[in-house]
């Protein structure tokens, strides 16, 4: 199964918020020019022939301003029409104005934003006033017909209040997408906020149970993705696929990176859109070779793991960036991934076959009754959407 082609455009690494655990904000970051947008378009025209998703990311992409998006979107949509581009945007929404919202709405752009739960919990780790500013932006977005979904970052501290956070999303009717706080590469105490892998695994199992208890009342996107990739035997989000070559990011100056997380790190530059590199050119770069070396490492070291087909060692950035580019292991969250994959697999097999042996190779009786919703209920709910 081929992974979708995804290009992230980073107009700036600057951001007006100062989240305590953030690893990407760069106040001195330059802003992307419209000329660079034109160069991105020209580069992508002949780079690949399959459909492309373009996500504006950052930093805070809305710092680029309304004029940037008013010009950039028609250039990309028109120049890449043969690739049927779709667009998305990740933003804290602080700089969203009605004017900007209308521009984005013309292209039906879904927005990913970030809220870490109730105002008290959110602002304790994202900064005072963050919650209110983001919710004001949310109101502007929804008033203009834009879809907004929130990512919730769980930290070492906030995970202790996971029930409050879950209930916040449940009461608000917000879909929940969670993210574990990573060790900061720019902090004197990298693990001050970081969620340990064991705690992350516990959190995922907890949310699986809460999801099943409240099925139909809330959507937990991570659980959906985890269940689906086990069922189809292939990863469905970038963390659990061979993202190399299928996911790329373009920084403010046109530099190309393996992913938005690497933007601003010179050692991970693969090329520049102004030079029109081919896929082979990017693969031959030092960063491209490193990504391929990680893939080979996963094939070798994880070959006996029953989840390798849809886990693929997790996120290369998580594995490589903290070790200064040395491949010493897979994604440190492997412990959490294995925990939740085991949990879902064993439950699914029990529902389908009445055992935990996945290699049975055929479905169990459709007439077997379950007292409570299970993994199949999640899959069935996804199928009806």
């Amino acid at each position: 199964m081929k992974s979708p082609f995804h290009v992230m455009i980073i107009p700036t690494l600057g951001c007006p918020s100062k989240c305590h655990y953030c690893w990407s904000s760069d106040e001195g970051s330059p802003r992307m020019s419209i000329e660079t947008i034109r160069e991105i378009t020209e580069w992508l025209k002949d780079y690949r022939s399959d459909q492309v998703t373009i996500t504006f990311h950052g930093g805070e992409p809305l710092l680029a301003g309304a004029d940037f998006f008013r010009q950039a979107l028609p250039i990309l949509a028109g120049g890449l029409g043969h690739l049927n581009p779709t667009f998305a945007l990740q933003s804290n929404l602080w700089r969203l104005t009605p004017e900007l919202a209308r521009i984005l709405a013309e292209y039906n752009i879904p927005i990913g934003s970030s809220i870490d739960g109730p105002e008290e919990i959110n602002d304790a780790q994202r900064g005072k006033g963050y919650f209110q500013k983001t919710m004001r932006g949310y109101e502007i977005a929804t008033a203009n017909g834009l879809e907004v979904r929130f990512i919730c970052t769980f930290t070492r501290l906030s995970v202790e209040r996971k029930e409050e956070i879950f209930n916040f999303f449940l009461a608000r009717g917000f879909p929940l997408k969670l993210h574990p706080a990573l060790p900061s590469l720019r902090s004197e105490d990298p693990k001050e906020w970081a969620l340990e892998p064991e705690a992350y695994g516990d959190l995922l199992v907890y949310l699986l149970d809460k999801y099943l208890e409240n099925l139909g009342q809330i959507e937990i996107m991570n659980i959906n993705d985890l269940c689906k990739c086990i069922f189809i035997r292939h990863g469905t989000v970038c963390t659990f696929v061979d993202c190399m070559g299928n996911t790329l990011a373009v920084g403010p100056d046109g530099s190309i990176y393996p992913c938005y997380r690497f933007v601003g790190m010179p050692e991970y530059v693969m090329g520049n859109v102004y030079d029109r590199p081919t896929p082979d050119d990017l693969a031959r770069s030092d960063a491209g070779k490193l990504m391929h070396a990680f893939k080979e490492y996963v094939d070798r070291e994880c070959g006996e793991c029953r989840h390798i087909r849809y886990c693929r060692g997790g996120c290369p950035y998580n594995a490589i960036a903290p070790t200064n580019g040395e491949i010493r292991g897979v994604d440190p969250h492997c412990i959490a991934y294995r925990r939740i994959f085991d949990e879902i697999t064993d439950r699914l097999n029990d529902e389908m076959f009445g055992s935990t042996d996945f290699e049975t190779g055929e479905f169990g009786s459709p007439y077997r009754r379950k007292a409570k919703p299970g993994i199949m209920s999640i899959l069935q709910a996804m199928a009806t959407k």
Side-chain angles (χ1 to χ4, degrees):
M1 184 181 296
K2 188 176 181 181
S3 298
F5 185 34
H6 186 193
V7 175
M8 293 175 244
I9 294 178
I10 317 300
T12 178
L13 285 175
C15 183
S17 62
K18 296 292 181 288
C19 300
H20 298 310
Y21 51 75
C22 184
W23 43 266
S24 68
S25 181
D26 183 352
E27 293 183 16
S29 174
R31 305 282 175 87
M32 182 177 284
S33 67
I34 289 298
E35 180 58 31
T36 299
I37 289 292
R38 292 193 179 95
E39 293 295 326
I40 292 172
T41 305
E42 291 301 314
W43 167 60
L44 286 176
K45 275 183 179 179
D46 301 314
Y47 183 79
R48 281 174 55 162
S49 60
D50 44 335
Q51 192 273 333
V52 62
T53 295
I54 296 173
T55 298
F56 294 95
H57 215 297
E60 173 47 63
L62 293 186
L63 286 175
D67 285 343
F68 174 85
F69 286 96
R70 185 181 292 110
Q71 296 178 70
L73 287 166
I75 291 172
L76 291 162
L80 302 177
H82 60 297
L83 301 181
N84 191 27
T86 58
F87 299 98
L89 182 138
Q90 183 69 35
S91 168
N92 63 23
L93 299 177
W94 291 15
R95 299 301 176 90
L96 186 67
T97 63
E99 178 187 17
L100 248 173
R102 288 191 292 270
I103 294 170
L104 300 178
E106 287 181 29
Y107 293 85
N108 299 311
I109 296 180
I111 298 176
S113 192
S114 298
I115 283 289
D116 292 349
E119 185 171 1
E120 175 200 349
I121 296 174
N122 179 87
D123 286 7
Q125 53 193 40
R126 285 191 172 270
K128 186 176 181 181
Y130 184 107
F131 185 94
Q132 292 295 334
K133 292 176 183 177
T134 294
M135 294 313 297
R136 281 198 295 272
Y138 171 78
E139 291 171 1
I140 293 172
T142 54
N144 284 275
L146 292 168
E147 177 189 8
V148 179
R149 293 193 169 200
F150 291 106
I151 295 174
C152 175
T153 298
F154 281 86
T155 67
R156 180 177 61 84
L157 301 178
S158 69
V159 74
E160 300 299 325
R161 302 175 69 177
K162 58 183 179 290
E163 185 172 4
E164 292 175 66
I165 294 171
F166 174 82
N167 288 335
F168 167 83
F169 279 86
L170 179 64
R172 294 270 184 146
F174 291 158
L176 171 59
K177 183 176 182 180
L178 61 130
H179 183 269
L182 301 168
S184 173
L185 302 183
R186 305 182 182 186
S187 172
E188 294 180 0
D189 184 6
K191 293 192 175 183
E192 179 182 4
W193 296 92
L195 184 64
E196 292 295 328
E198 294 83 356
Y200 184 29
D202 291 342
L203 173 64
L204 288 170
V205 174
Y206 168 83
L207 289 173
L208 172 61
D209 288 332
K210 297 298 289 185
Y211 194 12
L212 291 171
E213 290 174 15
N214 297 274
L215 202 59
Q217 301 178 58
I218 188 172
E219 178 184 9
I220 302 182
M221 298 166 68
N222 305 66
I223 302 300
N224 282 349
D225 291 329
L226 291 164
C227 291
K228 184 177 179 181
C229 72
I230 288 174
F231 192 72
I232 68 172
R233 315 300 287 166
H234 188 277
T236 59
V237 291
C238 65
T239 302
F240 304 124
V241 295
D242 284 328
C243 59
M244 298 78 167
N246 293 310
T247 297
L248 296 169
V250 182
D253 66 348
S255 293
I256 303 167
Y257 301 81
C259 173
Y260 82 96
R261 289 181 168 181
F262 293 104
V263 175
M265 304 170 74
E267 63 270 33
Y268 293 102
V269 173
M270 304 173 75
N272 194 291
V273 297
Y274 284 81
D275 299 323
R276 307 286 195 276
T278 66
D280 286 342
D281 292 333
L282 298 186
R284 284 192 293 264
S285 68
D286 288 344
K289 291 176 181 176
L290 183 61
M291 294 299 108
H292 186 73
F294 177 76
K295 178 179 179 178
E296 292 182 331
Y297 179 89
V298 170
D299 287 337
R300 183 174 64 252
E301 299 297 323
C302 302
E304 299 302 315
C305 178
R306 65 172 174 165
H307 306 302
I308 185 174
R309 289 179 61 184
Y310 44 82
C311 176
R312 299 301 311 158
C315 175
Y317 174 89
N318 291 354
I320 296 171
T323 58
N324 296 316
E326 293 184 22
I327 302 174
R328 302 177 190 170
V330 296
D331 185 334
H333 287 131
C334 172
I335 295 169
Y337 304 150
R338 186 188 296 266
R339 172 86 191 280
I340 189 62
F341 282 140
D342 282 347
E343 189 74 23
I344 293 172
T345 299
D346 291 344
R347 293 191 192 191
L348 181 59
N349 286 329
D350 186 54
E351 291 174 35
M352 295 170 67
F353 313 121
S355 76
T356 56
D357 179 9
F358 193 80
E359 301 303 324
T360 307
E362 61 185 28
F363 294 94
S365 167
Y367 303 107
R368 188 164 184 258
R369 298 174 64 86
K370 295 293 290 184
K372 297 179 180 179
I375 305 303
M376 288 301 297
S377 299
I378 295 175
L379 293 167
Q380 289 164 359
M382 292 169 59
T384 60
K385 289 185 177 180

